[in-house]
Structure formats: C-alpha cells, structure tokens
Amino acid sequence: MIELLQHIVDGLSLGAIYALIALGYTMVYGVLKLINFAHGDVFMLGAMMGYYASAKWSGEAQNPSFWGAALVGILSMAICGVVGFIIERVAYRPLRNAPRINSLITAIGVSFLLEYGGQNLFGPTPNPFGILPRREALNLGGLSLGYVDVIVFVVSIALMLILQRIVFHTRIGTAMRAVSWNAQVASLMGINTDFIISFTFVLGSVLAAAAGLLYASKYPSVHPLMGLMPGLKAFVAAVLGGIGNVPGAMLGGLLLGLAEQLVAGYWSSSWRDAVAFAMLIIILLVKPSGILGRSDAEKV
Amino acid sequence: MRLRSTVLLLAALVACQKQQGSGLVGADAKGPIVIGHVASTTGTEATFGTSSDRGFRIFFDELNAKGGIKGRQIKLVTLDDQGKPEEAATAATRLIASDHVTALLGEVASTRSLWMAPKAQMAHVPMISPSSTNEKVTAVGDYIFRACFIDAFQGFVMAKFAHETLKLSKVAILKDVRNDYSVGLAKVFAEQFTKMGGTIVATESFSQGDVDFKAQLTNIKAKSPEAIFEPGYYTDTGLIARQAKELGLAVPLLGGDGWDSEKLYEIGGAALEGSYFSNHYSVDDPSPRIQAFVAHYKQVTGLVPDSLAAQAYDAAGMLADAMTRAPDLSGPSIRDALATMKNFAGVTGDISLDANRNPVKPAVVLKIGKGGKYEFVTRIQPE
C-alpha cells in the first residue's frame, strides 16, 4: 500500500514537470497551429543558463541562497524569453504563410541547432546543478515526500492558473484567442498579430525555462541533450490532454507521469518510454482531439 | 568492346592502387608507428575517454623521449565516439583502413569494445582494451586483449566483500539493462553471493540515460535490504544515490569500477558517503610503483590519476613491451608476443595473461568518505 502511494507521489511530481513543459507546446500550437519542437531545447537552455549564472555568481552551482536562486531564476527566464523571441522572429515568421510542413521541419532544424550547437558551446559533459536549496525529504509514516517534488507540483499548478487567467481574462489573452481563431480577421480588427505571436513565444519560453530550472533541481545533472526526452514526453502530454488546451496539458502531463511511474514500479522500467508513446498512438486513434479537446468543425 | 575497356581500366586502377598501397608501407617503415585510440571524449562518459587518453599520451611521450620502439617514434591518433557503440565501430574501421594503425587501443565501455573488436579481429590488428571488464570482449577473437580484470572477478570481489567484510546477508540489485558491463556484473554478483549463503531480495533494472529511479527504489525499499549492489556508470549512480536518500533508503550502495570519476561525487554529493566500489588500483596504495606513477601524472597534467588513466598507462605498457619483443611490427607477430605476456610489471599490479587473453591480477575495494574522498579498504586477490 505504502509503495503504491509512493509511486503515485513520484508519478505526480514527474507529471507536473511534463505538464509545465506541455503548457508551452500547447500555447504555441493554440495560437499558431505550429508544433514547436525546439521547445524542449529552450527548456534545456533554461537549465543551462541557470547553471552558468549560479556558477558565475556564487561559485556554487548547488544549494544557493534564496535571493541567489531568485536572481538566477529571473535571469535564466529572461534569457530564454529573448531566445524564444529570436527563434520566432528568425526561423518561423518568414514561413508563416508557407505550408505547415515547412515550419514543422524548420522547428526540428532549430531543435537540432540548439542541441548540437549547445554541445559545442557548453561542452557535452553533464554538470551538477540545482536551483532549490537541498533539504531532507519529509517522511510521513514510510512515505517520503521530497520537498523539491512539492515545490514543483505547486509551482506548476500556480503557473497553469496564471496562464489560464492571462488567456481568458486579459486584453492580450482575448487578442491571443482571436489570433488563434483567425489571424487574418484578427488583424483586420486592429490586432497586431506579429506582437501577439511574439508574446506567445516569449511566454512559452519563459515557462520552459522555469520547467528546466525545476527539472534540474529534481535531477541535478544538466547537459545539452537533456531537453530531448522531456520535450518529446511533454509533446505526448499536450496531445493526450488535447493540444491547444491549457488545463488539458496539465492533465495530460500528470497522467503521463503517473502511467510511467506505475509501469516502472509494477512492470519494468524498460517499458516506461514504450508505454508513454503507446499512449500517444492510442489517443490519436481513439480521440484525436485529446481528453479535454473539443473536436472543432472544419472552418471553411 | 566498350565493356571490355571499362573492365581493363578498372583492373589497371586496382593494380595501381595496390602498388601505391605497398609503396606506402615501405615508406612507413621509417616514419612513426601509428597507434589508434577510440575513446568517448564527449558524452555522458566523457571522463572515461579523456582520462584514458591522458594515460596513453603520458606513456607514449615518455617512450618517445627514450627513443621509441625499434628506433621509431609512436604516434597516437585518438578518435571520439561520443559514447555511442556504432560510432566506436566506425572509428575503429577508419583507424584501420585510412590511418593504417599498427594496433588499436580502447574502448573503456564493454559495449563499445564489443562493437570495435570484430573490426580489429577481421583486419588482424591487435586490440587492447584498457578497462572493458565484460568477458565477451576478448572472446571475440585471438587478436583482442585487455589490461584489466574481468566482471566475473569483480562480481566475485564485491560478493566476497559484502559477505565477509561487511557481513551482509540481504542485498538488492539495481542494474542497467542496456549495458553489457552492468548486466554481467549483476549476474556474477548474484551467483557468488547466493553461493556464499546470502540472499538477493530484489532485482530491479533501469536503462542508461534514465533520470528517474524512484519507482525501482521504492520497490527495493519495500524488501528492506542491507545494501544495494548497483553496477552502473557514474552519472546514473550519482542520481540513484540522491534519490535513494530522498526515499529514506539509508543503506550503502555497492558498485564496480564504472563509478570511478570525479563527476560521481559532484552529482551524488553526500548521499554517496559510506558506499563502496571495487576498482583497479588506489592512489593511496603505498606501493612505490603506484606512487611514482601518481607523482609523474600529477606533474604532467596537474590532476590525480583515476583508475582509467592507470589502466590506460598499463595497456600502453603491455603494447610497447609486446612490440619490443616481437620480431617485426606485423599484426600476427605483435599478437603472438602479447599472448605470451608473463609478469609484466604494471602500475596496477603484475600482469600475466591467461589462455583467454585476460589478465590475472588483484582488485581493491574503496569506500567513499566525507567530501568524496576515496578511502582504501582492502585488496582482494584472485583465487
């Protein structure tokens, strides 16, 4: 019984990170209908920037002070926001009216550029880094609750609620939804679509950086290829929940994390990734719009 | 008509190439002896490759300063395989086919050595792996040698240590199923430990590159073992140690030489303190041979040599010894000289090769102490 609870706790905490990355995927898809495969690598950049910032300032890449951590976090998120803006401006905007397959392939290209460019720039060796101070795990009658896990979970839920609020209760959110519905008509109504799309990318990249920092605190080893698997898994999570749907991304992430942990716990860890991707195939066959996604009628 | 002239032209070309080939060998006889090294100088096991390369270069630089072998200098060509088996095979092929190496050195990881070995065997180029401990590596063929002990021995050492020194009776195993080295060690450990009267209470697995081990560790915790035998590599081991501690699993981890890296403690931190692993040598060993090597290595690189550097130094020593004793530098002659090696005085011990081209030599067990310092615990001799 206690093992089952432990598997569930670990699954939710892993799922919360997938959810955080999936939020960025889903937002960009919602507005642009573009699957931004470079998202997982912006996630990596977030963790990398955090590593360099904290190594530079405190000389200690793990266990920083509260203010040190806050500073490093803000800096890393700001850099990733700028990188997200540049990626959209340079790689995606010129292709906005091209067939969708062109932007998809460009996205894969940008992803490889960041991964292998990163290998040259940062070096390929894993480095230890964690933004959250180290502390003992809570022990609740044999059930261990890592405080990093609790923070990851709470931050993910909070960011999701903030995002939901931005999208549905602010002017810029209304504009985002308008662009998502029909970019051409939105621009006729006086909405600056270029600005809205840039804003979406910046917001998504900032979220990715936050996820990267939290992920590095949970698994303290950062390297240029670290974004590959979590990026793909988050993509599965976004599709599972219904791509383009913010609470869906959250739900998809948590479900995926739970499924993976239970498979590894009761079956075999070798099946972990196989099950994750099998879930993608099944959802695409059974309910292609995802668990919370509406199946919109084709707009003519 | 046309066809026949094409065929003739081709034949002429082939003949030309052959002549050129033999001409090259003639010219080479005065130039340096080229030795190839395949290593993971980048990737998650980057320190394996860079340490080995340092060990080789220090040995060959010394040798060249003394005049080389048979009056010729040694030139070491190192190719990176990024820690990927298929890249290791490609690198081996390239060294044999385009650099015409006299001998091949590498890899550290058994999986990658296993991909390289058939290429060396086919081309009759002697290959020495400095640190691949999986039995299958030298079983590929009679041109494949190694400078380290094998998994069967390392598994035996840790089983004996767990049973006799630590007096444990319940141990869990956590192995990397994508790694021949880890699977081999786990198998031998389980057999030996059970034979000595202990029990394996749980066997869990992971795949190299995984970052989350909580599910497996939770299952292990439920069986309350006294120690966990985890024969993985250092990146995984560091993460496993931390997650085990987070789950409140306060038992020592036991492992093999794959733990040996300065990155281990950086990643695992204090969670690793009190764990043990078997290794090829200890820098604290008072033996004058080891102290002389450590001092020389420090003077050249400014670093403390890990066991991979020491193993590489010995592998290069074995090769140089065989090349000196061989009547000529052809593949078969060097192979025959290597196969008859007896009591070669290496840094890591006296090395004699058995009929399967595996060295017979002792192992040490090290404890990870406060601040990540390795403490010498005991030396275990082969039976």
Side-chain angles (χ1 to χ4, degrees):
Chain A
M1 189 58 208
I2 200 88
E3 286 128 66
L4 178 65
L5 284 177
Q6 188 72 56
H7 288 315
I8 290 175
V9 166
D10 295 334
L12 288 177
S13 115
L14 179 67
I17 291 191
Y18 289 155
L20 207 51
I21 315 174
L23 288 177
Y25 263 114
T26 233
M27 217 168 48
V28 167
Y29 183 86
V31 171
L32 267 186
K33 300 283 175 290
L34 164 74
I35 295 168
N36 180 16
F37 274 112
H39 193 68
D41 303 298
V42 176
F43 158 89
M44 172 276 288
L45 274 183
M48 270 296 173
M49 291 301 123
Y51 169 71
Y52 278 101
S54 55
K56 190 151 188 77
W57 284 331
S58 57
E60 167 74 271
Q62 301 187 52
N63 212 354
S65 67
F66 176 77
W67 289 111
L71 198 64
V72 165
I74 289 170
L75 189 84
S76 147
M77 288 195 266
I79 293 176
C80 284
V82 173
V83 169
F85 175 81
I86 294 172
I87 290 175
E88 193 276 329
R89 186 69 194 79
V90 174
Y92 300 148
R93 191 176 293 181
L95 292 172
R96 199 171 294 154
N97 296 319
R100 205 176 291 168
I101 192 86
N102 295 18
S103 2
L104 187 72
I105 290 169
T106 310
I108 295 174
V110 172
S111 163
F112 282 166
L113 178 74
L114 291 177
E115 281 165 20
Y116 294 96
Q119 282 212 328
N120 280 319
L121 205 61
F122 308 128
T125 344
N127 287 304
F129 164 66
I131 194 170
L132 299 172
R134 280 188 191 168
R135 208 166 293 168
E136 292 289 315
L138 285 172
N139 194 331
L140 309 170
L143 181 70
S144 122
L145 199 55
Y147 96 112
V148 171
D149 298 338
V150 177
I151 291 183
V152 166
F153 196 75
V154 171
V155 168
S156 301
I157 300 277
L159 285 176
M160 187 202 80
L161 290 176
I162 294 172
L163 197 63
Q164 189 76 345
R165 175 123 197 120
I166 292 177
V167 173
F168 286 99
H169 299 279
T170 61
R171 278 179 66 85
I172 198 159
T174 314
M176 276 166 80
R177 280 180 291 140
V179 172
S180 143
W181 192 252
N182 189 327
Q184 217 162 8
V185 176
S187 73
L188 288 175
M189 298 297 138
I191 292 173
N192 183 347
T193 48
D194 280 346
F195 172 76
I196 294 298
I197 289 168
S198 291
F199 177 79
T200 310
F201 265 85
V202 170
L203 196 58
S205 302
V206 168
L207 285 178
L213 292 167
L214 290 173
Y215 188 83
S217 298
K218 195 162 148 58
Y219 310 115
S221 153
V222 296
H223 56 95
L225 298 184
M226 68 182 278
L228 197 63
M229 233 359 176
L232 282 177
K233 296 277 182 63
F235 171 66
V236 174
V239 174
L240 195 62
I243 194 152
N245 181 309
V246 171
M250 193 76 202
L251 180 72
L254 293 179
L255 275 179
L256 189 66
L258 267 181
E260 279 191 15
Q261 215 66 6
L262 290 175
V263 165
Y266 289 104
W267 193 5
S268 157
S269 68
S270 314
W271 284 97
R272 187 200 292 258
D273 295 347
V275 166
F277 292 105
M279 281 171 81
L280 175 69
I281 296 172
I282 291 170
I283 197 79
L284 287 175
L285 288 175
V286 177
K287 196 167 184 297
S289 53
I291 298 171
L292 295 186
R294 303 180 303 264
S295 40
D296 289 332
E298 189 71 26
K299 283 170 283 183
V300 188
Chain B
M1 184 60 207
R2 214 182 190 158
L3 184 74
R4 198 190 289 164
S5 59
T6 316
V7 169
L8 272 176
L9 194 69
L10 273 176
L13 267 174
V14 168
C16 263
Q17 209 129 39
K18 267 211 169 129
Q19 253 181 346
Q20 232 173 17
S22 55
L24 256 173
V25 170
D28 258 1
K30 290 179 204 77
I33 304 169
V34 184
I35 309 277
H37 177 207
V38 179
S40 55
T41 53
T42 64
T44 52
E45 289 112 44
T47 66
F48 286 175
T50 46
S51 280
S52 302
D53 204 50
R54 277 191 209 111
F56 286 136
R57 286 194 190 277
I58 285 180
F59 183 87
F60 289 128
D61 287 349
E62 254 179 308
L63 190 65
N64 282 340
K66 284 187 213 150
I69 288 172
K70 298 196 198 304
R72 293 167 63 184
Q73 296 281 295
I74 308 281
K75 187 181 153 210
L76 185 69
V77 180
T78 305
L79 290 185
D80 178 25
D81 60 32
Q82 303 161 29
K84 298 175 187 157
E86 57 281 7
E87 290 291 331
T90 312
T93 308
R94 199 178 124 187
L95 287 168
I96 293 167
S98 51
D99 293 296
H100 306 287
V101 294
T102 306
L104 264 181
L105 294 169
E107 239 277 359
V108 168
S110 298
T111 304
R112 298 195 283 277
S113 291
L114 279 168
W115 279 63
M116 285 170 64
K119 312 283 174 198
Q121 179 66 28
M122 224 155 44
H124 287 194
V125 172
M127 166 177 150
I128 306 179
S129 161
S131 306
S132 288
T133 50
N134 189 292
E135 276 96 311
K136 284 186 277 179
V137 173
T138 48
V140 169
D142 58 353
Y143 277 80
I144 316 300
F145 296 84
R146 74 176 106 215
C148 54
F149 47 65
I150 55 175
D151 286 344
F153 179 59
Q154 207 174 178
F156 162 78
V157 163
M158 285 320 277
K160 190 171 173 188
F161 176 73
H163 186 255
E164 287 177 11
T165 313
L166 297 178
K167 307 237 180 301
L168 304 178
S169 57
K170 284 160 63 191
V171 175
I173 291 179
L174 180 57
K175 65 182 174 195
D176 177 355
V177 284
R178 253 176 58 188
N179 183 341
D180 294 329
Y181 157 82
S182 189
V183 173
L185 259 172
K187 182 169 158 266
V188 175
F189 180 88
E191 283 167 8
Q192 294 288 344
F193 192 65
T194 319
K195 210 164 80 186
M196 291 170 191
T199 330
I200 304 295
V201 290
T203 305
E204 293 284 331
S205 55
F206 63 94
S207 301
Q208 203 174 346
D210 279 0
V211 290
D212 194 295
F213 309 93
K214 288 252 178 94
Q216 295 94 315
L217 290 168
T218 300
N219 291 347
I220 287 178
K221 192 185 170 192
K223 301 281 168 56
S224 44
E226 294 162 328
I228 304 170
F229 183 60
E230 192 277 308
Y233 288 156
Y234 59 88
T235 307
D236 303 325
T237 303
L239 292 174
I240 287 171
R242 286 181 77 138
Q243 291 175 21
K245 185 140 189 258
E246 275 168 31
L247 284 174
L249 195 55
V251 297
L253 295 181
L254 311 176
D257 59 336
W259 285 20
D260 191 14
S261 165
E262 73 265 15
K263 290 272 171 194
L264 175 71
Y265 194 78
E266 277 183 39
I267 293 172
L272 279 162
E273 287 167 10
S275 291
Y276 301 89
F277 68 102
S278 56
N279 210 346
H280 305 273
Y281 94 122
S282 157
V283 279
D284 301 329
D285 197 316
S287 133
R289 243 189 259 164
I290 291 182
Q291 289 314 317
F293 167 70
V294 172
H296 179 55
Y297 189 93
K298 267 189 189 159
Q299 189 201 337
V300 177
T301 64
L303 301 163
V304 177
D306 54 16
S307 75
L308 297 152
Q311 291 289 123
Y313 190 85
D314 278 357
M318 286 165 67
L319 180 62
D321 180 63
M323 288 199 293
T324 314
R325 284 189 288 118
D328 58 80
L329 292 180
S330 68
S333 306
I334 298 176
R335 191 217 83 85
D336 293 343
L338 270 172
T340 54
M341 181 151 294
K342 277 275 171 293
N343 293 325
F344 168 76
V347 170
T348 57
D350 284 341
I351 301 172
S352 300
L353 292 179
D354 68 9
N356 299 319
R357 299 167 300 285
N358 294 322
V360 180
K361 60 181 199 181
V364 297
V365 178
L366 304 178
K367 179 184 184 181
I368 301 175
K370 272 255 169 295
K373 196 176 154 22
Y374 296 160
E375 294 159 9
F376 175 77
V377 183
T378 177
R379 179 191 297 272
I380 295 182
Q381 297 290 339
E383 295 225 302

